[in-house]
Amino acid sequence: MSRRRHSDGDDGGQSHKRRRTSEPIEIEDRLESLICRVGEKSTSSLESNLEGLAGVLEADLPNYKNKILRILCAVARLLPEKLTVYTTLVGLLNARNYNFGGEFVEAMIRQLKETLKANLYTEALYLVRFLCDLVNCHVIAAPSMVAMFENFVSVTQEEDVPQVRSDWFVYVVLSSLPWVGKELYEKKDVEMDRLLNQIDGYLKRRLKTHVPMLQVWTAEKPHPQEEYLDCLWAQIQKLKKDRWQERHILRPYIAFDSVLCEALQHNLPPFTPPAHMPDCQYPMPRVIFRMFDYTDAPEGPVMPGSHSVERFVIEDNLHNIIKSHWKERKTCAAQLLSYPGKNKIPLNYHIVEVIFGELFQLPCPPHIDVMYTTLLIELCKLQPGSLPQVLAQATEMMYMRLDTMNTTCIDRLLNWFSHHLSNFQFRWSWDDWTDCLALDADKPKPKFVKEVLEKCMRLSYHQRIVDIVPPTFSALIPADPIFFYKYQDEANSALPGYAVAITVGNAIKNRASNEEILTVLKDVPNPNQEDDDDEGEGFNPLKIEVFLQTLLHLAAKSFSHSFSALAKFHEILKVLTDCDEGKLHILRVVYEVWRNHPQMISVLVDKLIRTQIVDCAAVANWWVLNPLCVFYVWEILHSTIRKMNKHVQKIQKELEEAKDKLERQQHKKQKDSGDEEDMEKNSEDEDGQLEEQIERLQEKVESAQSEQKNLFLVIFQRFIMMLTEHLVRCETGSVDFSTPWYKNCIERLQQIFLMHHVTIQQYMGTLENLLFTAELDHHILAVYQQFCALQL
Amino acid sequence: MSIKLNALFSDSYVDVSQYRDQHFKLLESSKDVLPPSILQGNRYEQEKLLKQANTLYVGNLSFYTTEEQVYELFSKSGDVKRIIIGLDKVKKTACGFCFVEYYTRTDAENAMRFVNGTRLDDRIIRTDWDAGFKEGRQYGRGKSGGQVRDEYRQDYDPARGGYGKVVSRP
């Protein structure tokens, strides 16, 4: 899909303006386009394209130097997958124009400082790597690069800084070595050895508490999920043992060696890493996802080993391609499949591994989940003869290893799989999975298949699911999503409230007003009240039941019908659920009537919260009483937490805007001072109003945050209770506590932390003081400690 | 540091298409636009709304696709505010299109990037920006009550009432 430019016609009145200043802009656009596109498929060789481009840019330097500098700095920062193409280009320019080379290096250093200040650590990483490769292009002198590395590694000596800070600086050095290790070792081997020893010492003493929380599989076999720095260290060690011989990276500058080695080099200015500030947000640690090795790609090129530097470079580049093109799935798929050097590696396996690695990344995937589904579909379209098979192989492998897969990752896997199947007529070799039928329903494999089928049904319909699976799978087929009406027929006429239910039903059908219906409902006896208790306004569960069952029954046809019903009778529902118990009971009734239709429960609960008939606390309490390990309950819970978060953010934003407005007004007053008294008085009033508004908003924020904090407290408290009970029971009964239920529950607790880590960080103090204290069972406390370790 | 490299990072799936709803009317509040430029104003207003919209038109649905299915699929790009199923003006039954409204523009953009062009009920569906649902827009505009495209098409599509109306009319 090419980017269409608006023709002059579309601009209407704008076109004459553009024509006046169009020439320089057009040339600048052309320069940008030329530079961005070099290295793409072309009839000429890469070398001749680079040579040609260097000539063009050299000629344009007198007039467009700044623009060229900015474009080159931008590609260095944003296109790491084409690193060596651009370093070669800069090398050629430096050979032709020494001053330009110097100015470029200066611009890069400025940019590096800015990205670090702005918490853009990934971009800073690419900038450093670019500078490293410039050593290979004879633009930067090796000793000055080593000096920069020494400054980076000295961060490991800093005290009282978060571990993630020194982690990053070490990562920058190690991850640049595949590109520049050879050159640096040739020039400064003593210093480099010292550097690596320092790094070794640091890696040995750093804490790895966070690792279990980030692993996709808990099992060590067949592929250990290694901590990212450990894996990289092993890869660099191997590279060093191989005397820094690295053959995967495309190095166009080799062809220009004779030209480049004539060039004069620049020295990097001494670079001190900026000091740690409290608002620095360093990247979180990661675990390296591995699911394939050389045994999995039976024919064709061999997959590089997990500790080979080739593996690191390939994965890094594939991740970068996705990062650059994730918004355009066709381009992204095409770019992935045209990876340079693809004939020497089993590219499809690498791509599938990298994509699942991102999808399963904890705490969150780098991009929205659905992108990966669509990207895989595009890849299947482009490689119909090979990629679907790799994908099937991957799915089969993941199914086999469900027992040790992290619960959050299983959720993502089943969402992906069901959505994927819906694009391919639900064709799958279900017979291959009959082994799950022999297992208990709460075991991971049958649970997985059941939930996949449930999700497939949501994307189609019940009969379709019955048709696509073999008859042996009938136990796992989801229930027919029917409504359960308590007062269905005369057989239930003995039930209390039955008569009123019929009356209410008729009243609704005859478009009675809210008052009329409330009057009818007055006749419902209250099972909670004493006979002589006359108030009749207290919580009456039967009233709620009679009304809501009947209403939802009449509106059961579709989501829209149910939403209309809730909207129409909003007033009545508010009256009935005035207290906490009322809110809880509404949720119970919704579950009762729609227990076969989890999707309907989800959307109804969502609507009830948004229309403020129930609040988030009620949903948490309802969950507390029914902590079913069924998938949709967690969806509802997480959705509720997210709504709460958005609510708090919204009010905070309003507060910030009001504060900004006040500041601007006061600033303006200062500038306008000396005007008449009238103006001053008016602005005082305005200020007063704003200040009042700010005070009100401040209260609103505090109250919302308090609600939010309580929500988490309720949820965490319940988890702690359930888990502690289980652990105590197992201990007294001398039974192994590690049941499927336990694994599921503790990973769901982890999931709360991971999915909402940004919000929860604010309440760490309270959590530690009230809930996650030292008296807690160490299994439960470990989850909390692992979470804390993510930002230490 | 502010260069975005527009040449490279396009986001074409989110672009507004060529289609414009010919029945689009200005809001009451914009009625003081002068007659000569009213068409132009209409066009600009419409384009502006499309570029800010949170609502998507969804086409090529099967007549049997339910609101529940649409919810499930489109929820993958974010929270859905509401869905309005398109109806045959005469029969008041589903006639193969709908509107999906999100709470945020971002979620709608992700649907344009990742749901548009994929399958629902085994059919490739198409999404496009919509200036916003107004009462009356849920009905097909074809002469027979369904969508215009079903008036004139020649192929047989069992999920969309069989042959096009022009074929099945004697």
Side-chain angles (χ1 to χ4, degrees):
Chain A
M1 281 216 178
S2 61
R3 182 170 172 79
R4 287 186 63 247
R5 293 182 156 278
H6 291 296
S7 60
D8 278 343
D10 287 3
D11 282 323
Q14 296 292 322
S15 56
H16 68 276
K17 250 200 233 169
R18 274 193 67 206
R19 253 178 243 127
R20 243 188 279 135
T21 54
S22 69
E23 277 196 34
I25 290 180
E26 277 180 11
I27 293 184
E28 289 188 0
D29 282 347
R30 202 174 59 85
L31 283 175
E32 198 178 295
S33 176
L34 279 174
I35 294 174
C36 288
R37 298 204 182 289
V38 75
E40 288 179 14
K41 254 198 192 126
S42 157
T43 44
S44 335
S45 71
L46 176 61
E47 285 78 23
S48 76
N49 282 337
L50 281 171
E51 180 94 60
L53 183 56
V56 167
L57 293 179
E58 191 196 1
D60 279 328
L61 279 180
N63 294 324
Y64 297 101
K65 183 182 69 171
N66 283 330
K67 180 75 179 180
I68 292 174
L69 274 175
R70 279 168 58 202
I71 298 173
L72 289 173
C73 283
V75 298
R77 195 167 39 93
L78 301 171
L79 290 176
E81 62 270 26
K82 286 172 78 177
L83 178 83
T84 51
V85 170
Y86 291 116
T87 52
T88 308
L89 181 63
V90 173
L92 292 172
L93 286 172
N94 180 57
R96 297 163 185 238
N97 187 324
Y98 177 78
N99 285 335
F100 177 78
E103 287 187 65
F104 178 75
V105 172
E106 274 171 27
M108 286 285 283
I109 294 292
R110 267 198 310 272
Q111 225 193 172
L112 179 59
K113 290 194 174 119
E114 282 169 23
T115 46
L116 286 174
K117 220 164 56 174
N119 277 326
L120 295 170
Y121 290 96
T122 314
E123 295 187 6
L125 172 73
Y126 300 150
L127 290 174
V128 174
R129 204 180 280 175
F130 197 93
L131 291 171
C132 287
D133 206 41
L134 286 179
V135 173
N136 293 326
C137 298
H138 297 263
V139 179
I140 291 179
S144 66
M145 194 71 234
V146 175
M148 184 186 249
F149 277 1
E150 283 169 345
N151 282 345
F152 283 179
V153 176
S154 68
V155 170
T156 59
Q157 304 298 323
E158 288 176 6
E159 292 184 354
D160 288 329
V161 293
Q163 183 174 281
V164 284
R165 171 180 162 84
S166 24
D167 279 355
W168 185 80
F169 284 99
V170 166
Y171 183 72
V172 168
V173 172
L174 288 179
S175 67
S176 304
L177 292 180
W179 281 265
V180 75
K182 183 152 183 273
E183 189 67 22
L184 293 183
Y185 251 83
E186 273 175 16
K187 298 278 170 17
K188 287 271 178 181
D189 62 336
V190 171
E191 286 80 354
M192 288 302 292
D193 268 334
R194 193 174 33 220
L195 217 61
L196 288 186
N197 279 336
Q198 264 185 294
I199 292 178
D200 192 16
Y202 171 72
L203 292 177
K204 289 199 168 85
R205 41 167 216 275
R206 72 190 269 273
L207 298 170
K208 292 201 279 228
T209 331
H210 52 274
V211 173
M213 199 176 222
L214 302 177
Q215 287 174 318
V216 174
W217 287 286
T218 52
E220 282 286 303
K221 290 185 169 23
H223 310 109
Q225 306 292 291
E226 280 183 289
E227 210 268 349
Y228 78 114
L229 276 182
D230 287 344
C231 184
L232 182 55
W233 178 246
Q235 288 163 332
I236 297 300
Q237 294 283 78
K238 183 163 186 295
L239 179 63
K240 182 170 178 217
K241 249 211 297 240
D242 293 340
R243 280 150 11 124
W244 306 100
Q245 299 299 325
E246 188 289 318
R247 298 198 192 291
H248 179 82
I249 297 173
L250 195 73
R251 296 176 196 258
Y253 38 82
I254 294 179
F256 293 103
D257 200 45
S258 51
V259 170
L260 293 176
C261 68
E262 298 290 312
L264 290 174
Q265 296 173 319
H266 306 266
N267 280 320
L268 279 175
F271 186 92
T272 331
H276 173 67
M277 303 294 248
D279 60 348
C280 285
Q281 281 164 4
Y282 305 100
M284 262 198 273
R286 286 174 287 128
V287 158
I288 301 297
F289 178 81
R290 285 282 153 65
M291 63 182 294
F292 290 131
D293 61 33
Y294 70 95
T295 61
D296 294 306
E299 310 152 351
V302 176
M303 192 170 219
S306 60
H307 284 170
S308 72
V309 94
E310 281 76 23
R311 196 74 178 262
F312 172 79
V313 173
I314 294 165
E315 287 169 0
D316 199 67
N317 281 333
L318 292 177
H319 281 300
N320 288 334
I321 291 173
I322 295 176
K323 186 160 185 268
S324 294
H325 301 287
W326 66 274
K327 290 182 185 170
E328 293 228 341
R329 64 208 207 213
K330 283 193 168 68
T331 309
C332 194
Q335 292 281 348
L336 286 171
L337 289 171
S338 56
Y339 181 73
K342 60 185 174 169
N343 297 321
K344 300 193 219 127
I345 52 174
L347 183 62
N348 285 343
Y349 285 87
H350 284 291
I351 291 175
V352 167
E353 190 178 67
V354 162
I355 288 178
F356 280 122
E358 289 203 6
L359 181 62
F360 297 142
Q361 187 174 304
L362 296 167
C364 307
H367 307 289
I368 187 174
D369 295 33
V370 69
M371 183 279 282
Y372 299 103
T373 313
T374 320
L375 180 59
L376 283 169
I377 293 174
E378 283 304 315
L379 288 164
C380 284
K381 276 195 215 160
L382 290 175
Q383 296 265 292
S386 56
L387 207 116
Q389 289 87 320
V390 177
L391 209 48
Q393 191 182 349
T395 310
E396 181 66 38
M397 283 173 67
M398 291 189 284
Y399 168 80
M400 295 304 291
R401 299 174 56 191
L402 282 171
D403 287 340
T404 55
M405 194 183 215
N406 180 294
T407 306
T408 309
C409 300
I410 297 182
D411 283 353
R412 294 186 201 159
L413 176 62
L414 66 90
N415 274 326
W416 164 73
F417 189 49
S418 51
H419 188 189
H420 180 86
L421 286 179
S422 75
N423 274 273
F424 295 97
Q425 296 124 359
F426 297 107
R427 274 179 283 128
W428 181 250
S429 45
W430 300 100
D431 283 318
D432 289 349
W433 287 358
T434 46
D435 64 324
C436 75
L437 299 172
L439 300 168
D440 281 335
D442 66 340
K443 290 282 194 301
K445 279 180 184 170
K447 198 145 165 270
F448 172 79
V449 172
K450 188 160 194 282
E451 287 175 1
V452 164
L453 293 178
E454 165 72 43
K455 287 270 159 169
C456 286
M457 183 177 75
R458 293 195 196 188
L459 288 167
S460 58
Y461 47 95
H462 188 255
Q463 187 56 43
R464 189 77 195 279
I465 306 304
V466 173
D467 292 339
I468 62 164
V469 294
T472 41
F473 276 72
S474 56
L476 296 178
I477 292 175
D480 204 358
I482 55 171
F483 184 95
F484 288 97
Y485 187 38
K486 201 168 181 177
Y487 310 105
Q488 182 66 54
D489 50 42
E490 298 203 5
N492 311 113
S493 56
L495 287 173
Y498 174 81
V500 183
I502 306 292
T503 318
V504 166
N506 288 330
I508 294 175
K509 279 188 256 190
N510 292 328
R511 302 176 199 277
S513 71
N514 285 355
E515 291 80 41
E516 288 167 339
I517 295 180
L518 278 171
T519 314
V520 170
L521 287 173
K522 276 211 170 74
D523 290 338
V524 177
N526 189 340
N528 284 356
Q529 274 179 335
E530 307 286 313
D531 279 318
D532 54 348
D533 188 341
D534 211 37
E535 276 148 65
E537 285 313 314
F539 162 58
N540 183 342
L542 191 56
K543 212 189 252 191
I544 295 176
E545 182 125 26
V546 163
F547 178 68
L548 194 56
Q549 283 241 6
T550 307
L551 180 66
L552 290 181
H553 173 60
L554 289 171
K557 186 159 183 229
S558 76
F559 288 178
S560 284
H561 286 85
S562 297
F563 295 162
S564 270
L566 291 180
K568 192 152 180 239
F569 296 99
H570 184 259
E571 221 183 280
I572 298 186
L573 289 166
K574 280 293 259 189
V575 162
L576 291 175
T577 62
D578 207 15
C579 56
D580 284 347
E581 296 141 309
K583 294 182 166 68
L584 196 54
H585 201 68
I586 273 213
L587 294 170
R588 277 203 207 101
V589 173
V590 167
Y591 172 74
E592 265 304 304
V593 298
W594 279 120
R595 58 187 179 270
N596 270 15
H597 197 344
Q599 193 195 18
M600 177 66 96
I601 298 181
S602 284
V603 302
L604 284 179
V605 171
D606 178 82
K607 207 45 110 180
L608 290 169
I609 294 177
R610 290 191 192 267
T611 52
Q612 297 177 333
I613 294 173
V614 304
D615 52 22
C616 294
V619 176
N621 287 325
W622 169 69
W623 166 76
V624 158
L625 297 172
N626 304 280
L628 305 167
C629 296
V630 185
F631 181 65
Y632 73 87
V633 170
W634 304 107
E635 278 184 347
I636 295 177
L637 193 62
H638 284 292
S639 164
T640 306
I641 298 174
R642 268 200 317 269
K643 279 193 271 287
M644 181 87 246
N645 295 348
K646 284 197 180 138
H647 173 65
V648 171
Q649 278 166 10
K650 183 160 159 264
I651 310 180
Q652 276 172 332
K653 191 162 167 232
E654 282 173 31
L655 178 61
E656 287 308 308
E657 282 170 359
K659 281 188 178 162
D660 283 344
K661 201 169 164 200
L662 184 65
E663 209 181 292
R664 277 196 306 259
Q665 238 171 257
Q666 287 177 335
H667 186 65
K668 205 168 150 228
K669 237 183 15 171
Q670 278 174 13
K671 284 169 88 176
D672 294 345
S673 62
D675 276 10
E676 297 131 32
E677 275 183 23
D678 282 340
M679 290 274 284
E680 264 190 44
K681 190 158 187 297
N682 279 345
S683 62
E684 252 176 46
D685 281 342
E686 276 173 27
D687 269 6
Q689 269 183 6
L690 254 187
E691 277 167 2
E692 234 185 80
Q693 191 189 24
I694 288 179
E695 219 182 284
R696 262 183 288 125
L697 281 174
Q698 190 78 51
E699 278 174 20
K700 239 176 131 183
V701 165
E702 281 166 12
S703 144
Q705 280 176 331
S706 173
E707 228 188 294
Q708 187 183 49
K709 188 164 68 168
N710 275 335
L711 183 62
F712 283 114
L713 284 177
V714 165
I715 294 171
F716 283 135
Q717 214 159 23
R718 182 59 179 155
F719 266 110
I720 291 176
M721 265 173 60
M722 287 195 294
L723 287 165
T724 310
E725 256 178 47
H726 173 85
L727 287 165
V728 162
R729 218 181 318 125
C730 290
E731 208 184 303
T732 42
S734 301
V735 188
D736 182 19
F737 67 87
S738 188
T739 60
W741 178 90
Y742 174 77
K743 177 177 181 288
N744 191 289
C745 195
I746 200 136
E747 286 178 357
R748 291 293 180 192
L749 173 60
Q750 266 177 6
Q751 193 183 30
I752 304 273
F753 277 112
L754 289 175
M755 280 179 74
H756 307 284
H757 62 98
V758 175
T759 320
I760 294 177
Q761 302 267 2
Q762 301 166 45
Y763 303 121
M764 298 291 265
T766 314
L767 292 176
E768 210 164 304
N769 289 333
L770 286 184
L771 294 178
F772 294 97
T773 59
E775 285 93 52
L776 214 53
D777 185 298
H778 67 98
H779 293 101
I780 309 173
L781 194 55
V783 173
Y784 179 72
Q785 288 164 340
Q786 286 162 17
F787 173 69
C788 294
L790 287 180
Q791 263 296 305
L792 285 179
Chain B
M1 212 174 76
S2 50
I3 284 197
K4 295 269 186 258
L5 294 182
N6 291 322
L8 212 64
F9 296 125
S10 76
D11 194 4
S12 59
Y13 282 80
V14 162
D15 287 346
V16 169
S17 75
Q18 297 289 61
Y19 174 86
R20 291 290 179 274
D21 180 2
Q22 295 303 314
H23 293 214
F24 174 77
K25 286 187 175 52
L26 283 176
L27 298 170
E28 283 298 306
S29 56
S30 319
K31 270 224 171 126
D32 35 53
V33 176
L34 296 170
S37 53
I38 199 168
L39 276 173
Q40 245 196 354
N42 214 1
R43 190 157 57 89
Y44 284 135
E45 178 73 23
Q46 192 176 23
E47 196 157 321
K48 198 173 85 168
L49 287 175
L50 290 174
K51 288 187 174 157
Q52 301 165 343
N54 293 353
T55 309
L56 299 178
Y57 161 86
V58 184
N60 200 35
L61 295 178
S62 151
F63 285 12
Y64 306 105
T65 299
T66 61
E67 192 186 344
E68 287 75 358
Q69 287 171 275
V70 176
Y71 238 102
E72 179 69 13
L73 181 61
F74 282 85
S75 293
K76 290 185 185 292
S77 73
D79 291 335
V80 170
K81 187 169 177 185
R82 67 173 166 166
I83 293 175
I84 297 128
I85 298 285
L87 301 174
D88 182 302
K89 198 164 187 145
V90 173
K91 298 186 215 152
K92 301 292 198 285
T93 54
C95 69
F97 74 99
C98 73
F99 295 102
V100 175
E101 190 185 336
Y102 286 94
Y103 289 100
T104 69
R105 167 96 184 171
T106 312
D107 293 343
E109 286 179 349
N110 279 332
M112 289 290 285
R113 293 182 189 119
F114 308 121
V115 180
N116 187 13
T118 65
R119 289 184 192 267
L120 180 57
D121 257 343
D122 298 316
R123 304 172 66 87
I124 303 254
I125 58 170
R126 192 180 61 83
T127 66
D128 200 359
W129 293 108
D130 188 83
F133 176 75
K134 290 218 165 41
E135 181 55 38
R137 296 191 66 230
Q138 71 268 42
Y139 296 112
R141 294 174 181 162
K143 263 194 305 217
S144 317
Q147 288 198 279
V148 171
R149 63 210 299 261
D150 291 310
E151 289 291 318
Y152 300 109
R153 64 179 173 77
Q154 310 270 5
D155 61 327
Y156 180 78
D157 189 343
R160 287 183 73 102
Y163 286 105
K165 294 290 186 287
V166 72
V167 171
S168 49
R169 263 199 293 270

